[in-house]
Amino acid sequence: MGVKAINTLQEIWNGFDFSNLLDILLRVIPALLCITLHELSHGLVAYALGDDTAKNAGRLTLNPLKHLDPMGLLMMLLFRFFSTSPLRSSF
């Protein structure tokens, strides 16, 4: 890389406002934790009551990726509104 490119990257790095990134992380990480626990609880209660749909769909897990909807995640980042992936019931 040339000196000009390095200087440009250094200017970008020095001018970047990390408070925005921190703000996003402080909103997204707790939201993912809460959403995961909430959806897992729905699946466990349904399973305990005899509905194995969540288990068959692989939703009885603490992996947040199993519960997320990509469009819902984008909405959370942009509009502070969230929705999870729908799951059909066998009842």
Side-chain angles (χ1 to χ4, degrees):
M1 287 171 70
V3 175
K4 186 174 181 177
I6 291 174
N7 287 339
T8 303
L9 289 175
Q10 188 173 15
E11 287 175 16
I12 292 171
W13 180 262
N14 291 337
F16 187 72
D17 184 14
F18 286 98
S19 65
N20 291 335
L21 180 62
L22 182 63
D23 182 47
I24 291 171
L25 289 176
L26 289 177
R27 280 189 288 136
V28 170
I29 292 174
L32 287 178
L33 178 65
C34 291
I35 289 165
T36 301
L37 291 175
H38 178 87
E39 294 301 322
L40 175 64
S41 298
H42 278 289
L44 289 174
V45 169
Y47 187 67
L49 294 174
D51 184 4
D52 62 351
T53 308
K55 184 176 194 274
N56 294 338
R59 299 277 183 92
L60 297 182
T61 179
L62 287 172
N63 181 0
L65 298 177
K66 293 287 187 173
H67 303 285
L68 291 180
D69 176 35
M71 188 57 88
L73 184 61
L74 182 64
M75 289 170 53
M76 183 175 78
L77 292 173
L78 296 177
F79 305 113
R80 296 185 183 187
F81 176 81
F82 189 78
S83 68
T84 57
S85 298
L87 181 66
R88 302 285 182 222
S89 173
S90 65
F91 286 110

